[in-house]
Amino acid sequence: VNLRAVTSWVGIARLFAIVLSCIAFSLVASTGDFGGPYGTWCMFTWCFCFAVTLLVVVLELLELYPKLPLSWDDFTSAFSMLAALMVFTTSVVFPSTFISSPCSGSKCVRQAVATTFSCLCFLAYALEVGLTRAKPGDISSFLSTVPGLLKVFEAYVACLIFSLLDAYSSEAGLQWCVAVYSICFIITLLIIIFTIGRCLTYIPCPLEKMLVGYNALALAMYLTATILWPLYSFRGKSRPNSCGRNCWWNKHLGITFLTIFNLIAYLVDLVYSTKMVFI
């Protein structure tokens, strides 16, 4: 038994994440009000992060992870980053969707407390990301470096963009933007999967330089999407007077901001990757 799995700072952060996520989904489940796609997403996030983190702790506690055919450090780094992003999104989506103002009654109190524990759970995962991040000069696990963590961020933001996409008409500019989101998401996801599966060594070309080239290409593609998406989405169209939660205007505006976020992420990724390879 490896007691450091639960006594180290990383282990303690994981234990806090397990307890906090468990309390969050238990409180929300007790209210019975988590229907619809947003409620389902929030419950899935808490339960998924709880289950996987518990599995990680158990495997490290019993020292079974070396038997798995994957890069354990890359897997745990990628998961902690993904969990932090998922819980952060849930901590924003849940209260804005299910907590009404003014907040009164035991149901609303439980929802507010669940939101608080969800925010604390995000801090626990963010702490884990900070503790496991590779130090300057240490490239033993790619996904624990800044470029590796940015790969997880870029893939997750692309997933959020896909969740907001609805009918994007037959405009060639919008179709190009969707192609940009899809191509970059697929390649980034493959990089993450190949890294965790220890398959990158089989690629018959200089991997580091290939990643720099891909980041430069993705940056250029996202730059075009940042210009074309709002141009074709809002040109000659005004915001509807009754624009509710599922209003197309809000969705397209959200995609615009998420595109900018990914553009910045690919820019930072390119800078860090170039520094790691050439400097």
Side-chain angles (χ1 to χ4, degrees):
V1 175
N2 179 22
L3 292 180
R4 281 190 54 80
V6 292
T7 58
S8 64
W9 285 112
V10 175
I12 293 173
R14 288 170 179 166
L15 291 178
F16 270 106
I18 291 172
V19 174
L20 294 169
S21 59
C22 180
I23 294 175
F25 74 70
S26 299
L27 286 171
V28 174
S30 68
T31 65
D33 184 16
F34 51 89
Y38 294 107
T40 303
W41 162 256
C42 294
M43 287 295 286
F44 168 77
T45 296
W46 292 318
C47 295
F48 172 74
C49 294
F50 166 79
V52 177
T53 307
L54 180 61
L55 179 63
V56 168
V57 171
V58 170
L59 290 175
E60 289 203 350
L61 185 64
L62 301 179
E63 294 189 324
L64 296 175
Y65 64 91
K67 301 181 183 298
L68 300 176
L70 51 82
S71 174
W72 184 251
D73 290 338
D74 284 310
F75 170 75
T76 53
S77 297
F79 170 73
S80 60
M81 183 64 177
L82 176 63
L85 294 171
M86 292 176 67
V87 175
F88 174 77
T89 306
T90 299
S91 301
V92 175
V93 169
F94 181 77
S96 61
T97 305
F98 291 94
I99 299 180
S100 58
S101 181
C103 182
S104 61
S106 62
K107 173 183 173 182
C108 187
V109 170
R110 280 178 285 174
Q111 291 174 331
V113 174
T115 302
T116 303
F117 279 106
S118 182
C119 293
L120 294 174
C121 185
F122 159 70
L123 293 178
Y125 280 117
L127 176 61
E128 182 184 348
V129 171
L131 291 172
T132 58
R133 187 174 70 86
K135 304 301 184 290
D138 180 14
I139 54 174
S140 57
S141 58
F142 171 70
L143 293 181
S144 65
T145 63
V146 173
L149 295 174
L150 285 172
K151 288 286 183 292
V152 181
F153 177 84
E154 292 154 4
Y156 182 74
V157 171
C159 289
L160 294 181
I161 291 175
F162 294 143
S163 69
L164 294 176
L165 281 174
D166 50 9
Y168 45 89
S169 70
S170 58
E171 293 279 1
L174 297 182
Q175 291 178 351
W176 163 253
C177 293
V178 175
V180 169
Y181 304 142
S182 303
I183 293 171
C184 293
F185 168 74
I186 292 173
I187 297 177
T188 302
L189 184 62
L190 288 176
I191 292 174
I192 295 172
I193 293 174
F194 285 173
T195 301
I196 294 175
R198 298 174 178 171
C199 299
L200 291 178
T201 54
Y202 298 105
I203 298 178
C205 58
L207 178 62
E208 296 81 2
K209 295 182 179 179
M210 183 190 72
L211 290 177
V212 172
Y214 163 67
N215 289 332
L217 178 61
L219 177 64
M221 293 174 69
Y222 259 91
L223 181 61
T224 62
T226 304
I227 298 172
L228 294 178
W229 180 265
L231 176 65
Y232 282 92
S233 294
F234 304 112
R235 184 177 57 182
K237 302 174 184 177
S238 58
R239 189 176 188 273
N241 294 327
S242 57
C243 194
R245 184 183 303 164
N246 295 318
C247 177
W248 67 268
W249 176 277
N250 291 341
K251 291 183 177 181
H252 285 205
L253 184 63
I255 292 174
T256 301
F257 281 105
L258 291 173
T259 303
I260 296 173
F261 292 158
N262 248 3
L263 175 68
I264 297 173
Y266 277 110
L267 175 60
V268 177
D269 195 354
L270 176 62
V271 172
Y272 267 90
S273 298
T274 304
K275 181 180 178 181
M276 288 175 61
V277 174
F278 299 104
I279 301 178

